[in-house]
Amino acid sequence: MPLLDIAKGLACAVIVGHHLSRYGSMPVGAFALAPDFLGWLADSGRLAVQVFLVIAGFLAAASLAPDGVLRVDRPFARILQRYGRLVMPYLAALIVCVLVAALVRPWLGNDDVPASPSIGQLLAHGLLLQDLLGYEALSTGVWYVAIDFQLFVLALSLMALPAMWRRTPATPASRQRWIPVALVLGVALASLALFNRNTDLDTTALYFFGAYGLGMLAFWIGRATRASTWQSAIVLLALTGAGALAIDWRSRIAIALVSALLIAIAQRQNWLSMARWPDAAQPLQRLGRISYSLFLIHFPVLLATNAAVGQMGPHAAWIDALGMAATFGLSVAAALLLYRWVEVRPASWRAVTALFAALLVSGLLVST
């Protein structure tokens, strides 16, 4: 789906720009050259993560239950598979971040550099439990990986419930397809109206399932065969989001709603799978394919470039701006390496175990 790659590429570029404009000394120096743009990135760039949440929900529905009925024979094995796919590049990026943070800590002695990790912190990160257990993040954005995994487990659990009910002959076949959709809609409504308004829940999938569920619903809406059914479902999706915004206006939910509606329309018009896009969109499409690796690896690159520029002493604002641009380019180069060497390789428990052990060793080495 090239259009989704383009959307992910654009969203990832904004998120990386958000972090570039918030961490280190370079954005402070470069601010005078583009105050409005850098101010917008620092304040609102984080909203681009909603695009990823919607797309992740869309792809989860396509993979797990394209027709509304769960197509997974072994749910627990699928959850473990998802964990392996997520954590292989994640662990590799964390190893780099732990080592780079230790290297630059003497030159960037501020809050931007994570502290030396403890063994409990390393274990929690490897198991994607760091936020639930209250540990400081070893890298920016690692919360999203943990939330993505929680969302996948929650979505799979919701769709597995009707599969258990089907074992009783009382469940009509026509109802089997609608029960998972109704469950997802119900939990998404609860998230949008209640859970997403409670910041104490922002370490759990319940807080984010509203956006994720909108993406799942957008996929199923696109599968409607009758025009009248599709139109009614689009109206229901719009009313769901509008109702949540009427209760409590949140820019993040507005972005998620617009993203879901646009994806549902694009799917209906067969734009998602168009083979050829304008040449100007090709870089974004390629960026979208490596967006996960870029999301994971850009922070240690940011730390290293800030340390290098900081050692130059007093300098002009354009040096900082050039350093930020170089950071983005170097992050893309690092993401390409992570994508080719780790992300696209088949997930295996041997590789996961080796990377987990390497993270623990790296953390222990820099803590001594």
Side-chain angles (χ1 to χ4, degrees), residues 40 76 85-86 246:
W40 174 81
F76 187 68
R85 293 297 302 160
L86 279 175

Side-chain angles (χ1 to χ4, degrees), residues 5-345:
D5 284 333
I6 293 171
K8 288 194 296 182
L10 181 60
C12 190
V14 173
I15 291 170
V16 173
H18 170 66
H19 293 151
L20 282 173
S21 64
R22 288 180 61 89
Y23 294 101
S25 60
M26 290 191 296
V28 177
F31 186 82
L33 299 179
D36 293 336
F37 178 63
L38 291 179
W40 174 81
L41 278 177
D43 183 52
S44 302
R46 58 188 171 81
L47 295 175
V49 77
Q50 300 299 319
V51 177
F52 279 101
L53 289 169
V54 171
I55 292 176
F58 182 92
L59 296 176
S63 172
L64 297 175
D67 297 316
V69 178
L70 185 66
R71 289 188 178 181
V72 177
D73 295 330
R74 298 184 299 163
F76 187 68
R78 188 60 178 271
I79 289 172
L80 292 177
Q81 181 187 44
R82 179 63 177 174
Y83 171 80
R85 293 297 302 160
L86 279 175
V87 301
M88 279 182 55
Y90 164 83
L91 291 172
L94 280 183
I95 293 168
V96 175
C97 193
V98 166
L99 296 176
V100 170
L103 182 66
V104 305
R105 195 171 291 119
W107 294 278
L108 291 179
N110 53 45
D111 295 337
D112 293 336
V113 185
S116 297
S118 66
I119 186 65
Q121 189 178 13
L122 294 167
L123 289 169
H125 275 75
L127 296 173
L128 302 179
L129 297 173
Q130 67 276 3
D131 294 319
L132 291 174
L133 297 179
Y135 283 105
E136 180 187 359
L138 293 176
S139 178
T140 186
V142 293
W143 67 269
Y144 179 85
V145 184
I147 289 298
D148 183 275
F149 182 64
Q150 288 186 40
L151 288 168
F152 183 85
V153 173
L154 177 56
L156 181 55
S157 300
L158 289 174
M159 287 180 283
L161 288 176
M164 292 186 291
W165 293 340
R166 283 204 305 272
R167 295 172 184 172
T168 63
T171 307
S174 59
R175 192 182 302 173
Q176 295 175 8
R177 186 178 297 108
W178 290 104
I179 292 176
V181 178
L183 287 173
V184 169
L185 176 60
V187 177
L189 283 170
S191 175
L192 292 170
L194 297 174
F195 305 137
N196 186 257
R197 299 167 60 205
N198 184 354
T199 55
D200 292 336
L201 297 175
D202 64 1
T203 60
T204 71
L206 293 174
Y207 184 87
F208 297 95
F209 194 80
Y212 195 85
L214 289 176
M216 297 181 71
L217 294 169
F219 176 82
W220 287 321
I221 288 171
R223 302 277 287 182
T225 55
R226 296 180 180 178
S228 59
T229 303
W230 182 84
Q231 292 168 359
S232 300
I234 281 288
V235 171
L236 177 61
L237 185 68
L239 290 176
T240 298
L245 294 174
I247 294 172
D248 183 6
W249 174 266
R250 288 148 287 171
S251 298
R252 58 184 181 275
I253 299 303
I255 295 293
L257 175 62
V258 171
S259 299
L261 290 171
L262 289 177
I263 290 174
I265 294 171
Q267 185 184 22
R268 185 70 177 181
Q269 299 298 324
N270 294 319
W271 293 340
L272 296 182
S273 56
M274 283 178 60
R276 182 64 180 169
W277 286 87
D279 291 340
Q282 300 306 310
L284 283 176
Q285 185 177 343
R286 291 191 290 269
L287 192 65
R289 291 173 185 165
I290 65 168
S291 58
Y292 184 51
S293 290
L294 178 57
F295 182 78
L296 293 172
I297 201 65
H298 74 275
F299 186 65
V301 177
L302 182 156
L303 292 178
T305 52
N306 268 283
V309 172
Q311 296 307 300
M312 298 175 61
H315 51 264
W318 67 268
I319 297 292
D320 288 313
L322 186 61
M324 293 176 68
T327 301
F328 188 89
L330 291 171
S331 296
V332 172
L336 281 169
L337 295 176
L338 182 61
Y339 177 80
R340 292 172 181 173
W341 291 355
V342 182
E343 185 180 347
V344 296
R345 293 183 179 273

